[in-house]
Amino acid sequence: MTENKFYKPVGGLVRAELFHSSQVDSVEQLRWGGGVEVGLVDDASSYTEQFSADNRQVSVLHTLTLCSQQRDASPWLDKEFLRRVAVEGVVAEITLASGCEILVGWSERFAVEQALRLKSLNVISGKRPTDLPRVELTLWSHDTESAFV
């Protein structure tokens, strides 16, 4: 007899709050809230770290992809918000499905100098009649440290 095994999922994001880098003087300040937080679509948001070595210097490419239903994503579609994300960047406080909380776009060494910046914003209609319109916001930055450390 084959035994069915069920595993608790640990991938994906359940929460992300974005703070403009000019708002962040210290990590403790982020605990007060006041950032931009939008409800996320289940199983559609992700965070990745890609390590590489150019000229023997290890760097980390941080990529944060957030996905929300279009009706909930109006803060991301605001022109001033997008301009600030592109120019000054953001620090993201994210909660993974595993329960782990990490900061992306801030490091001990650089503080907010390596903040996440706008890579793309996609408004997606969907392909099937049952698809809800959604918005996908992708942010990225280069740094020398992992957010998990």
Side-chain angles (χ1 to χ4, degrees), residues 21-134:
S21 61
S22 62
Q23 292 177 287
V24 182
D25 294 324
S26 68
V27 176
E28 294 77 28
Q29 184 180 8
L30 300 177
R31 307 293 178 220
W32 302 336
V36 174
E37 185 172 358
V38 170
L40 302 176
V41 174
D42 291 341
D43 302 328
S45 299
S46 65
Y47 170 68
T48 60
E49 290 184 350
Q50 180 182 359
F51 291 79
S52 62
D54 296 325
N55 299 323
R56 299 183 185 166
Q57 176 69 18
V58 176
S59 66
V60 184
L61 173 62
H62 303 269
T63 305
L64 177 61
T65 302
L66 303 175
C67 189
S68 179
Q69 290 185 17
Q70 188 174 354
R71 68 171 187 241
D72 299 330
S74 59
W76 295 347
L77 298 170
D78 178 72
K79 287 182 182 179
E80 179 61 16
F81 172 80
L82 289 173
R83 186 195 66 75
R84 290 183 72 188
V85 172
V87 174
E88 69 183 60
V90 294
V91 175
E93 183 179 49
I94 63 176
T95 304
L96 305 177
S98 64
C100 180
E101 292 183 353
I102 59 175
L103 286 178
V104 184
W106 184 92
S107 68
E108 282 287 332
R109 182 175 178 188
F110 297 111
V112 295
E113 288 181 30
Q114 302 298 333
L116 293 164
R117 289 192 164 67
L118 180 66
K119 179 179 182 185
S120 65
L121 178 76
N122 297 309
V123 180
I124 305 163
S125 68
K127 296 179 183 177
R128 297 180 298 262
T130 56
D131 289 346
L132 289 172
R134 53 187 194 157

